[in-house]
Amino acid sequence: MADSEVGVTPYWELTFDADGDVNGKQRDRLLREVVERGVKDLIVFAHGWNNDRSAATRLYSRFFEPIPALAPNARLGYVGVIWPSMRFSDEPIPDFERAVTEVTEVSVGSALDKGTRSALLRAFPGRATLIDQIARMLDRQPDGDAALEEYGRLVRLLVELRPEAPGAAFAADTSSESEEGSPSDPEMFVGDTAEMCREFARALAEAKAEAEATTEDAAGTAAGAGPGDERPRAGAAAADIPQAWDGAHELLRQATYFAMKRRAGAVGERGLGRTVGRLAQAAPGVRVHLVGHSFGGRLVSFALRGLPKGVRTVKSVTLLQAAFSHYAFAARLPHEARSGGVLRGHQERIDGPLVCCFSRFDSALGTVYPLASRTAGDDRTAAGFGLPRLLGARWGALGHDGVQAVSGTKAFTLADALRARATLPASGCVNIDASAVVRHGGLPAGAHSDICHRELAQVVLAAGRIH
């Protein structure tokens, strides 16, 4: 592609298929030209859920834009990773299609909109009949739990949820999920579909009520309202328990997320990790800096597992709202001491720090992700799990509260991290609370995709010691 499409130069793309196979012509061009162009520091960015290449390249263009001015003396190169992921069309990316700075209505329990259906067809080629069946059930909402169970069966078929499915091992975030005889599929796929749909509906209703209350509190403060003024209580709207079909749309969303999570692991380890290894052979002096958003964070982290032995060219990894377990790098799990994170110790493959940026305004990771991520082997039922216990608990995500249970992890606010740029830890795990800038977006995803900020570009440069 032309450099002008992204706006920085030199820029290359690396396209991977769902199994991690890379476009050989693109890879060979990168290996050849990175030396010819005299690149010293190569920033490799992997997108999260996006519907197509154009959305990914817009993200890269926006994120990379301030970097040349921030590091004018650096000999930089840029790589955009393109991999088959998807995004539901009701998840706006701030400042892309439109700016979203307030609570928006979430359309759940209705037929799939045209954009989401098209995205599903691209993400799951050859599954048009299944997608049509799912869409009809969401539209008609037939009575009875038996209908919901049938709906759940169709969703499972769509994402190939079976133990022998290709790449199933890449879905695990902890060793307890991947051990032989311990299924790694979330409980939402193997439990009571009707009850899980009701639980998703409750979680969304509570998240919406909390967001509305927060918005009204801010508006009241701006208007000079006093502390005694009555305002709606967060969670009040959840008292009217929604119907199960209101959560069925969310079940489909989470099922596709699970498929993308599994795919990101495969592409990272089988594809990007090996490609970085080839780059280390062709250009051993090039310093590589991996950056990943959402499941792209999972992709670049699994790339560490795919690095050939002895490769030390990865100088930093920066995770932006990473959508996988906050225990993925833990040596031992707090709730299961015999098990650890599936990437435990892999931060040591980096000749530099692993920096994790997170935000409390990320509804996708702070509210529904923990519910969806409970494993099938958990003996607790969905009923009775309130949001306060979900947030930051056993099934939390890196993008919600950062790296957990890793000894020596350092913590910064975004402002402190930027002030300490020259003295950020040179190795190990670093958590940065980016809530000061990652804060805009509507339900259900919240600020999950609000990552195009000059401050976060500065974090990438600080992590990599790029000047």
Side-chain angles (χ1 to χ4, degrees):
M1 68 168 292
D3 293 337
S4 59
E5 287 188 55
V6 168
V8 293
T9 186
Y11 171 82
W12 298 272
E13 280 186 358
L14 287 174
T15 301
F16 297 88
D17 66 17
D19 296 320
D21 293 326
V22 68
N23 181 306
K25 290 183 178 179
Q26 291 180 337
R27 177 199 60 207
D28 293 344
R29 180 190 172 203
L30 170 67
L31 298 182
R32 180 180 68 254
E33 293 184 1
V34 76
V35 176
E36 295 174 353
R37 303 289 287 266
V39 170
K40 181 66 174 177
D41 289 280
L42 187 68
I43 302 175
V44 181
F45 198 145
H47 64 79
W49 46 72
N50 281 297
N51 281 346
D52 51 31
R53 173 184 169 274
S54 64
T57 54
R58 277 184 292 166
L59 170 67
Y60 298 150
S61 185
R62 285 285 310 284
F63 191 88
F64 289 150
E65 182 180 8
I67 290 179
L70 290 170
N73 298 319
R75 288 184 290 168
L76 288 168
Y78 307 84
V79 172
V81 173
I82 308 295
W83 63 286
S85 184
M86 73 158 285
R87 174 179 61 88
F88 274 54
S89 61
D90 65 348
E91 299 169 9
I93 300 176
D95 299 325
F96 272 45
E97 291 80 13
R98 59 189 176 90
V100 179
T101 57
E102 59 185 40
V103 176
T104 59
E105 285 297 319
V106 183
S107 177
V108 293
S110 59
L112 293 179
D113 60 87
K114 183 178 179 180
T116 297
R117 185 183 183 281
S118 296
L120 285 168
L121 289 170
R122 285 193 296 268
F124 302 101
R127 304 293 173 83
T129 300
L130 267 176
I131 293 168
D132 286 342
Q133 289 175 304
I134 289 169
R136 281 197 297 271
M137 293 197 77
L138 283 170
D139 184 34
R140 296 172 183 173
Q141 301 183 20
D143 293 334
D145 286 2
L148 285 163
E149 292 300 329
E150 172 61 11
Y151 172 82
R153 185 186 71 83
L154 295 174
V155 170
R156 288 191 292 272
L157 286 174
L158 175 66
V159 300
E160 291 187 311
L161 206 74
R162 58 185 191 277
E164 68 275 15
F170 293 104
D173 281 347
T174 66
S175 59
S176 62
E177 295 176 87
S178 58
E179 291 169 353
E180 185 177 356
S182 178
S184 61
D185 299 337
E187 186 175 333
M188 64 176 171
F189 297 126
V190 296
D192 185 324
T193 299
E195 180 53 37
M196 190 56 64
C197 287
R198 294 185 184 99
E199 187 70 8
F200 276 131
R202 284 192 287 266
L204 288 171
E206 290 187 34
K208 180 180 178 182
E210 183 176 350
E212 288 175 339
T214 300
T215 300
E216 291 180 13
D217 281 345
T221 300
D229 293 340
E230 291 293 328
R231 298 192 184 98
R233 177 178 53 86
D240 182 18
I241 301 299
Q243 298 299 311
W245 279 104
D246 291 341
H249 186 276
E250 188 61 33
L251 179 69
L252 175 62
R253 186 197 312 273
Q254 294 299 328
T256 62
Y257 287 176
F258 183 80
M260 295 308 107
K261 170 185 172 181
R262 179 179 59 199
R263 188 174 291 179
V267 173
E269 182 170 339
R270 293 174 175 170
L272 183 58
R274 295 174 184 175
T275 301
V276 172
R278 291 281 295 270
L279 178 63
Q281 290 181 320
V286 173
R287 306 170 74 247
V288 177
H289 309 277
L290 302 179
V291 183
H293 168 237
S294 186
F295 283 132
R298 195 172 195 274
L299 191 157
V300 298
S301 296
F302 269 70
L304 299 173
R305 203 164 74 166
L307 287 177
K309 186 176 181 180
V311 170
R312 299 290 292 172
T313 56
V314 176
K315 303 301 179 180
S316 67
V317 173
T318 304
L319 307 180
L320 306 173
Q321 302 310 117
F324 63 112
S325 174
H326 55 194
Y327 293 134
F329 294 95
R332 291 183 177 82
L333 305 183
H335 54 275
E336 194 172 349
R338 292 177 299 175
S339 299
V342 73
L343 295 175
R344 60 191 179 277
H346 281 78
Q347 65 270 25
E348 296 172 6
R349 301 296 309 272
I350 310 167
D351 189 22
L354 183 143
V355 175
C356 179
C357 294
F358 65 93
S359 171
R360 64 182 178 276
F361 297 108
D362 187 332
S363 302
L365 301 185
T367 300
V368 183
Y369 175 92
L371 178 64
S373 296
R374 286 185 292 134
T375 59
D378 188 14
D379 58 5
R380 291 171 295 186
T381 62
F385 256 81
L387 289 179
R389 292 189 61 192
L390 287 171
L391 300 180
R394 179 171 177 176
W395 308 114
L398 284 160
H400 177 66
D401 59 2
V403 175
Q404 301 295 313
V406 175
S407 179
T409 297
K410 306 298 183 184
F412 295 86
T413 65
L414 181 59
D416 287 343
L418 295 180
R419 278 195 293 269
R421 173 175 176 172
T423 57
L424 275 182
S427 62
C429 295
V430 180
N431 286 332
I432 296 179
D433 184 348
S435 300
V437 296
V438 180
R439 58 189 302 114
H440 299 301
L443 291 174
H448 184 67
S449 292
D450 185 22
I451 61 166
C452 293
H453 296 283
R454 179 185 178 90
E455 294 88 346
L456 296 186
Q458 289 177 281
V459 167
V460 171
L461 296 175
R465 300 294 198 274
I466 302 172
H467 305 289

